Amino acid sequence: MSNLLEVDKSVSGYKWKFRDCDERQVKALMEAFGFSELLAKILVARGVCKESADSYLKPSIKELLPDPLHYMDMKPAAERLAKAVTDGEKIAIFGDYDVDGATSSSLLKRFFNQIGAKAVIYIPDRIEEGYGPNQKAIQHLWDIGCKILITVDCGTVSYEPLAVAKQIGFDTIVVDHHIGGNLLPEALAVINPNRMDETTEHKALCAAGVSFMLAVAVNTELRRLEYYKTHPEPNLLKLLDLVALGTVCDVMPLQGINRAFVTQGLKIIAGRSNAGLAALADVAGLSERPGVFHLGFMLGPRINAGGRIGEASLGARLLTTDDPAEAKEIAMTLHQLNNERRAIEMLVEEEATKMVEAQHLNDPLIMPVGRGWHQGVVGIVASRLKDRYYKPCAVVTINNGIAKASARSVHGVDLGAAIGSARDLGLTLTGGGHAMAAGFTAEESKLPELRAFLFERLSNQSGTGVGRVINLDGAIAVGGINTALAHDLEKAAPYGTGNAEPRFAIANCRLVDSQIVGNGHVRCIFDDGGIGSGSKLYAMCFRAMEGKLGEFFLNNKYKNMHVAARLRLTNWQGKERVETQIDDAVLA
């Protein structure tokens, strides 16, 4: 069946490929753990063997958490912060305006609150102040009595602002995970698993994960100083809801300690102990047990909306407050801002798409440039265009002679390193990021030279021009989709980056109905293609009308087809059901 369903080019232009797995390892998992053949194949295809299966399916913080002190500069940072706590010094937490920045800031603030320390959060305005620490904000924090400055999810390349902070008198601790340059900023400590001279194998942490490591190290140092003989000791595991949210929304691989963070964090979110997250779940209409999908597509975008088009500090305030009334008010504001963000985003995406279609799509980098586009949505638009054309994309907005861009990449193309090199050559004012997500600020006059540099840098990287592939975990019939199958798949959750959600070819199903619902989505009903089982399948293809799939489903009723889809177990009004999400299709 699998060989017959391999597709060279689907409706969306993808090649379908079934994942390879060692049948001997599949049998070993089935015999050792009693797994179904399908679950065993899913695990083996993701690199899980008999020896690692137990740890993979039941990830433990205790077993997987590395010693925080193995990170460079962690020890002096922990010692200095412990001294600040015991001496009653005021601590400033300077965060980024995205989800990872908000969760990192809130995590450290909650930790300091629990142990009786003084700490304040400062989140810069995206438009007025831009990314990272700035001199005016640093001076303000000093003026209100702060003696220690912790930058979270930023700071690694903030050379000038942190030099100013040192001159003013701050002891600065950088807590970051973005790729740095050859030089380090002037700081007491730079804790960053991705700094150039760091040797750790535990590099794939978001800033919230690094912040949790710092909290663990400070907690250990305070215990050594016998601080908790006179003060309540915190429950650090209760902070893992914030780590899970940051990890998922910053698209970190769900492997190793990250897998444990998210698994435990989802349990804490389900307990609704964080007033802000509980309020946000309510306004988002989340009525079932939260999963990775809900964090990434329901909670995260609403927290981000404050930093994108509203008040940047709203996300951190929401995650930090213990007042249900305040949490509800902030959550409603973020919900409304998210709706506004969607409208702005649609306009920018439409204009950017027209530019892309008019440009040379053979270029190694898609780079639409617009004047006055809202800076807060260019990252989302870059992500959409990257997915549509399967090419790295940088969306640039120009205001008053300054170009600001958010960029997203495909596997095999390291955008963060390319933009970092451009920064080192003086082609940008600021710039950097991850392999898959980055950004820059540059003078408008430098754009042609910058574009030429990035084109040359990216043209030889292996991801450029690579065909689009959908990896499948198996083929099933309409009648084989049920809650028992969905429960089996749940055993290998959480799914996400580094642990791809299983995707199946639903073979020889017949489309019996299709209709547009909501904002360009298409709802489909399939049957078994005439084999007589009487089974029916209800499925959704989200944002289908933006591509070729929408017209395909509307114009091919009563035809047999193969559908690539993901299955998710949901709970509606106390009743379990399987939600089927369509990713692609091809006529049988």
Side-chain angles (χ1 to χ4, degrees):
M1 174 74 80
S2 295
N3 291 333
L4 294 176
L5 288 177
E6 292 213 349
V7 173
D8 286 329
K9 191 172 183 180
S10 67
V11 173
S12 300
Y14 285 91
K15 179 178 181 178
W16 292 9
K17 187 176 183 298
F18 284 83
R19 295 182 190 273
D20 295 325
C21 60
D22 187 327
E23 291 297 335
R24 290 172 299 178
Q25 292 191 39
V26 171
K27 289 181 180 178
L29 281 179
M30 293 171 67
E31 292 173 1
F33 296 95
F35 294 156
S36 68
E37 182 178 8
L38 181 60
L39 178 60
K41 283 185 174 181
I42 288 170
L43 292 171
V44 170
R46 285 153 182 75
V48 180
C49 61
K50 184 174 75 172
E51 290 72 26
S52 62
D54 198 53
S55 174
Y56 194 81
L57 296 177
K58 300 174 183 177
S60 163
I61 299 290
K62 183 178 180 180
E63 292 179 4
L64 295 172
L65 186 74
D67 180 358
L69 295 182
H70 91 282
Y71 285 108
M72 297 184 73
D73 286 359
M74 183 67 82
K75 191 172 190 297
E79 290 174 349
R80 180 65 184 91
L81 285 171
K83 184 178 186 302
V85 171
T86 57
D87 291 353
E89 292 179 287
K90 195 172 185 180
I91 301 165
I93 304 166
F94 190 107
D96 189 17
Y97 33 65
D98 68 357
V99 176
D100 197 18
T103 51
S104 304
S105 302
S106 177
L107 185 152
L108 289 177
K109 178 71 161 66
R110 282 186 171 275
F111 168 65
F112 289 129
N113 284 351
Q114 287 181 44
I115 62 177
K118 304 172 184 176
V120 297
I121 292 175
Y122 187 97
I123 307 292
D125 182 88
R126 188 183 204 115
I127 306 301
E128 297 297 326
E129 298 176 82
Y131 171 80
N134 62 82
Q135 183 173 344
K136 184 178 179 181
I138 290 170
Q139 185 64 58
H140 165 73
L141 291 169
W142 180 264
D143 291 343
I144 63 172
C146 298
K147 300 301 179 186
I148 293 183
L149 174 66
I150 307 176
T151 69
V152 291
D153 201 27
C154 58
T156 297
V157 294
S158 300
Y159 303 114
E160 293 181 9
L162 295 192
V164 169
K166 183 176 180 179
Q167 291 172 1
I168 290 175
F170 269 117
D171 283 336
T172 300
I173 296 168
V174 174
V175 179
D176 200 0
H177 69 134
H178 294 96
I179 297 171
N182 292 321
L183 298 176
L184 293 175
E186 294 189 49
L188 171 73
V190 178
I191 308 166
N192 183 338
N194 292 301
R195 56 184 269 184
M196 297 292 283
D197 55 347
E198 178 61 82
T199 59
T200 180
E201 63 183 56
H202 301 283
K203 292 182 176 293
L205 294 180
C206 68
V210 182
S211 297
F212 182 79
M213 294 289 188
L214 177 60
V216 172
V218 174
N219 194 57
T220 301
E221 178 64 13
L222 288 172
R223 194 179 294 128
R224 187 187 70 80
L225 296 174
E226 299 184 340
Y227 177 79
Y228 295 125
K229 285 190 173 181
T230 55
H231 296 81
E233 188 163 354
N235 183 346
L236 295 183
L237 293 182
K238 286 191 174 181
L239 300 173
L240 289 178
D241 52 357
L242 300 172
V243 182
L245 183 60
T247 299
V248 170
C249 292
D250 230 43
V251 201
M252 293 293 106
L254 298 189
Q255 298 170 340
I257 186 58
N258 282 341
R259 188 167 172 79
F261 282 157
V262 174
T263 299
Q264 298 303 317
L266 286 171
K267 295 176 183 176
I268 296 167
I269 294 173
R272 296 172 63 90
S273 58
N274 184 300
L277 281 177
L280 198 63
D282 290 340
V283 301
L286 174 54
S287 57
E288 58 187 309
R289 188 176 182 84
V292 168
F293 170 82
H294 304 107
L295 270 58
F297 293 95
M298 295 179 72
L299 303 185
R302 286 169 170 82
I303 293 172
N304 261 335
R308 292 191 185 280
I309 65 170
E311 185 182 338
S313 64
L314 286 174
R317 285 174 51 201
L318 175 79
L319 298 176
T320 307
T321 184
D322 291 319
D323 181 351
E326 182 185 18
K328 182 178 180 180
E329 182 181 351
I330 296 174
M332 286 298 299
T333 300
L334 288 171
H335 181 69
Q336 292 164 3
L337 287 171
N338 192 50
N339 290 334
E340 294 176 25
R341 185 268 306 168
R342 287 175 177 165
I344 296 170
E345 170 199 319
M346 286 178 62
L347 293 174
V348 174
E349 184 178 352
E350 183 178 350
E351 290 183 24
T353 300
K354 290 178 181 177
M355 291 182 185
V356 171
E357 295 288 351
Q359 293 173 356
H360 300 290
L361 287 176
N362 290 327
D363 290 339
L365 173 69
I366 296 171
M367 194 169 167
V369 180
R371 294 191 180 278
W373 286 345
H374 199 295
Q375 186 183 333
V377 302
V378 293
I380 303 173
V381 174
S383 182
R384 293 266 167 77
L385 296 179
K386 178 265 297 182
D387 290 341
R388 186 174 302 160
Y389 300 105
Y390 200 73
K391 278 182 173 289
C393 179
V395 178
V396 185
T397 178
I398 297 176
N399 291 280
N400 300 319
I402 298 297
K404 295 188 176 184
S406 280
R408 300 293 184 268
S409 194
V410 296
H411 290 287
V413 180
D414 191 337
L415 258 184
I419 290 175
S421 296
R423 178 197 67 226
D424 294 341
L425 290 172
L427 297 177
T428 70
L429 299 172
T430 62
H434 316 297
M436 303 296 287
F440 64 79
T441 300
E443 296 174 1
E444 181 182 356
S445 60
K446 292 269 190 176
L447 277 182
E449 188 180 357
L450 174 60
R451 184 197 298 264
F453 172 82
L454 292 175
F455 277 23
E456 181 180 1
R457 178 67 180 262
L458 300 180
S459 61
N460 295 322
Q461 295 199 25
S462 62
T464 305
V466 171
R468 307 168 75 186
V469 176
I470 282 184
N471 290 305
L472 300 169
D473 288 284
I476 52 179
V478 168
I481 298 174
N482 50 47
T483 56
L485 171 62
H487 272 291
D488 207 27
L489 299 179
E490 282 290 303
K491 294 175 183 176
Y495 296 110
T497 303
N499 182 39
E501 187 175 6
R503 185 185 279 115
F504 304 97
I506 303 174
N508 288 307
C509 54
R510 182 174 62 176
L511 178 65
V512 295
D513 190 30
S514 59
Q515 56 182 301
I516 300 173
V517 295
N519 189 20
H521 314 309
V522 174
R523 182 168 56 207
C524 301
I525 302 176
F526 300 95
D527 67 13
D528 54 21
I531 63 173
S533 71
S535 300
K536 277 193 168 50
L537 174 68
Y538 296 81
M540 284 290 296
C541 188
F542 291 103
R543 303 176 69 91
M545 298 310 297
E546 295 180 5
K548 297 179 180 179
L549 279 174
E551 292 299 326
F552 172 81
F553 287 127
L554 295 178
N555 295 330
N556 284 286
K557 291 180 183 178
Y558 306 111
K559 292 183 180 179
N560 279 28
M561 58 187 65
H562 309 310
V563 174
R566 289 165 291 134
L567 312 178
R568 184 171 292 122
L569 188 67
T570 64
N571 194 301
W572 176 251
Q573 295 181 341
K575 184 178 181 181
E576 284 188 336
R577 62 176 185 174
V578 181
E579 181 181 276
T580 304
Q581 294 189 7
I582 301 169
D583 293 323
D584 203 359
V586 66
L587 288 175

